Amino acid sequence: MLLEICANSYQSAIAAQKAGAQRIELCSELALGGITPSHGLIEKVVSDLEIPVYVLIRPRSGDFTYYDDEFDVMLRDIAFCRKVKVGGVVSGVLQSDLTIDEERTQTLVDAAGGMSFTFHRAFDWTPNAMDALRVLQRVGVDRILTSGQSENALSGLFVLKMLLEKSKNKPVILPGGGIRPSNIGQFIDAGFKEIHASASNTIESLEGAFPMHNLQAVQQDLQTYSDPEKIKQLLDAMYNS
């Protein structure tokens, strides 16, 4: 079985390789479900690691339905990954009804070229797992990262087994979400060939005089944006003060 570690920093990527993981998914901001890491981080990790590096292509937190300019950013990030010889990308797009956006996902797969393509856990938001599987088989993704449409992979094991049976490893079904030493045996027994985990821990960080986090802004059903009306109000107040 192959273990893929979700690494959120250079230190995490190095730790994964030293510990014996066979592949990493590189991202930033795990607490937000992961977003695309900086180009500098991508380039350094690819340069220094010997194991395959897959990179998350997700321009922001929140949902998986993107404006045209956001989608353009995703394509630019994929082009950069190809340039620095990343092994694979992890991405995907949904429609507003949470079904797979087949056209845009196909565009991402085509842009990836020779890189491996994993459709990420946006799959777990789709209304019908088997319908979503059939769409992604048409698109030609290499694997699907999924918790079996549950909060964690153990709770979704029944659906994961159904996906494994229906897919026949085309694409590879990659269970992820809450997989630990205490339950990994159940996924081995079920016949999965790859497993995804963060295997993360926490350390204390320096604390300033006041918090920099806005907890309301990181709620899953909210997105923050620069409001043009508020910008105009600030400018009016600035010029007229």
Side-chain angles (χ1 to χ4, degrees):
M1 177 176 279
L2 180 149
L3 176 62
E4 175 184 273
I5 291 296
C6 185
N8 67 337
S9 66
Y10 179 81
Q11 290 76 16
S12 293
I14 292 295
Q17 176 169 279
K18 286 183 177 179
Q22 292 94 351
R23 187 174 70 221
I24 68 162
E25 178 199 335
L26 185 65
C27 69
S28 295
E29 302 298 343
L30 271 178
L32 303 178
I35 58 174
T36 304
S38 72
H39 286 187
L41 177 58
I42 295 170
E43 192 165 13
K44 182 167 178 58
V45 168
V46 170
S47 173
D48 291 358
L49 261 65
E50 297 177 357
I51 61 176
V53 176
Y54 289 4
V55 173
L56 178 63
I57 305 297
R58 186 184 181 211
R60 55 159 171 78
S61 62
D63 62 37
F64 303 96
T65 303
Y66 301 109
Y67 297 111
D68 289 344
D69 51 359
E70 292 174 320
F71 191 68
D72 182 60
V73 169
M74 296 168 75
L75 291 172
R76 289 169 183 264
D77 283 336
I78 289 176
F80 176 79
C81 288
R82 289 184 64 181
K83 178 182 177 182
V84 299
K85 303 189 184 314
V86 165
V89 292
V90 182
S91 194
V93 186
L94 300 182
Q95 303 271 18
S96 58
D97 63 358
L98 301 184
T99 59
I100 304 288
D101 187 327
E102 184 170 357
E103 180 179 352
R104 278 188 159 183
T105 300
Q106 184 71 68
T107 300
L108 295 178
V109 171
D110 293 344
M115 294 186 294
S116 183
F117 193 99
T118 301
F119 193 93
H120 54 36
R121 287 192 60 195
F123 181 90
D124 292 325
W125 279 16
T126 60
N128 187 297
M130 297 305 149
D131 287 348
L133 172 63
R134 284 188 284 271
V135 171
L136 293 177
Q137 286 175 322
R138 287 199 300 269
V139 170
V141 304
D142 296 294
R143 64 185 48 75
I144 300 172
L145 172 60
T146 171
S147 63
Q149 300 201 316
S150 296
E151 288 189 16
N152 59 71
L154 191 59
S155 298
L157 187 54
F158 177 76
V159 173
L160 285 167
K161 289 179 179 178
M162 289 179 58
L163 290 167
L164 182 64
E165 179 182 356
K166 294 293 184 181
S167 70
K168 296 180 172 56
N169 282 315
K170 291 186 178 182
V172 171
I173 303 301
L174 176 61
I179 296 180
R180 299 179 173 85
S182 59
N183 61 35
I184 194 171
Q186 297 185 55
F187 298 92
I188 296 171
D189 293 343
F192 293 98
K193 303 301 183 185
E194 301 183 4
I195 292 292
H196 173 97
S198 64
S200 57
N201 208 338
T202 58
I203 58 174
E204 289 189 4
S205 180
L206 295 176
E207 185 175 357
F210 47 84
M212 292 288 185
H213 293 173
N214 181 351
L215 297 181
Q216 182 182 6
V218 298
Q219 292 183 42
Q220 183 168 270
D221 58 348
L222 295 176
Q223 292 182 34
T224 57
Y225 70 101
S226 297
D227 187 331
E229 290 304 315
K230 288 189 175 183
I231 294 171
K232 290 176 183 177
Q233 290 169 13
L234 279 171
L235 289 169
D236 287 343
M238 183 175 71
Y239 293 141
N240 296 318
S241 60

